[in-house]
Amino acid sequence: MKHLILSGCAGRMGRMLESLIEQRDDCRIAAGVDPAPYHSGEFPVYSNWERCPPNADGILDFSSPAGLSPMLEFATGHGIPVVLGTTGLSPSQVEEVALASKTIPIFRAANFSLPVALMAHLVEETSRALGADFDIELLELHHRGKADAPSGTAKVLMDAANAGLGASLSPVYGREGDSQRQPGEIGVHSLRGGSFAGEHTVLFSGQGEALSIQHTALSREIFARGAIRAMLYLQGCPAGLYGMESLLQF
């Protein structure tokens, strides 16, 4: 039985994780951390990391970029593995995560769906195969409450396209007015509305033909299940930075 700390327990993903973990017999939530008021009848909730006891086998973090530093300080100080699902990190925060991963194992992903990880692999291979003759556009759709745009998954897919081409495409966020496409661009379009859990489409457009690769999330439950899978995978791993590719077997 693994004892976990749920960071961001008051949020959408936090509540989903709580619901799923309650149904399992291989792990349980020992404590929650969230600055927002939240009451759980199953575990104590602390407003900050200074008050949280360190008796845990892992931290599931789906909070906000503002809470990253104290969470990593707590985790590295007590040698606790982290599954990091918080998106919208700044470049300096990404470096902070990389530095912490020299001390503890950290599993970082913008999206914990295995099919999305496979999609990123397919985007990279498709970009490599089709080359610069095909224009690439990316469309992502999320619920009205999502704070960051483009999504973390969209950034992962952009990185995959760049890796396949062996180049760095210039992102163009939306198009308006005189916006004829230029060589070396990748269009990125973010839509927000309703309760969409998430949809990502990568469109490869050539002369007289096009290919699209799409993933649709019908429920946030897939992300929560993937995060739990990542946490169980991380148990016993040495310090380092891990991602969804660690769970893919080719």
Side-chain angles (χ1 to χ4, degrees):
M1 175 72 74
K2 301 302 179 183
H3 297 78
L4 309 176
I5 297 173
L6 181 55
S7 175
C9 56
R12 293 171 183 261
M13 276 297 295
R15 295 194 299 271
M16 178 66 72
L17 282 163
E18 178 182 355
S19 175
L20 290 179
I21 292 174
E22 284 178 355
Q23 304 170 32
R24 301 178 67 98
D25 57 11
D26 54 356
C27 58
R28 62 178 291 270
I29 301 175
V33 176
D34 202 305
Y38 183 70
H39 173 74
S40 171
E42 301 297 324
F43 54 86
V45 177
Y46 302 94
S47 60
N48 58 65
W49 288 98
E50 294 178 356
R51 297 171 57 87
C52 184
N55 304 320
D57 299 299
I59 296 171
L60 288 163
D61 184 84
F62 285 84
S63 56
S64 70
L68 180 72
S69 293
M71 184 276 294
L72 289 178
E73 182 179 354
F74 180 91
T76 55
H78 298 289
I80 303 175
V82 173
V83 169
L84 180 60
T86 298
T87 59
L89 302 184
S90 68
S92 63
Q93 287 179 313
V94 172
E95 292 180 7
E96 187 178 355
V97 172
L99 181 61
S101 71
K102 298 181 183 299
T103 303
I104 57 172
I106 297 178
F107 194 112
R108 179 179 177 235
N111 189 308
F112 285 87
S113 161
L114 273 178
V116 166
L118 179 59
M119 179 182 181
H121 176 76
L122 293 174
V123 167
E124 179 176 344
E125 293 302 315
T126 303
S127 299
R128 181 175 294 114
L130 298 181
D133 290 338
F134 279 69
D135 300 324
I136 306 176
E137 296 275 315
L138 194 156
L139 174 68
E140 56 102 346
L141 169 62
H142 285 86
H143 58 89
R144 66 175 63 179
K146 185 168 179 60
D148 55 316
S151 67
T153 302
K155 294 177 182 178
V156 168
L157 295 173
M158 281 192 283
D159 288 343
N162 284 331
L165 288 170
S168 182
L169 298 173
S170 299
V172 175
Y173 299 106
R175 297 186 185 277
E176 182 180 9
D178 185 5
S179 56
Q180 183 175 352
R181 187 183 182 92
Q182 301 299 317
E185 289 183 354
I186 179 170
V188 184
H189 311 278
S190 299
L191 304 182
R192 297 290 179 266
S195 58
F196 288 97
E199 182 172 281
H200 294 83
T201 304
V202 180
L203 176 65
F204 296 86
S205 301
Q207 295 299 313
E209 58 184 337
L211 170 68
S212 63
I213 303 175
Q214 183 182 81
H215 175 268
T216 302
L218 303 178
S219 167
R220 287 185 188 83
E221 186 173 311
I222 63 170
F223 309 131
R225 291 191 184 280
I228 296 169
R229 183 187 298 115
M231 176 56 73
L232 296 177
Y233 170 85
L234 212 54
Q235 300 300 309
C237 287
L241 193 57
Y242 301 84
M244 290 302 292
E245 65 278 0
S246 303
L247 301 181
L248 289 177
Q249 298 181 3
F250 292 108

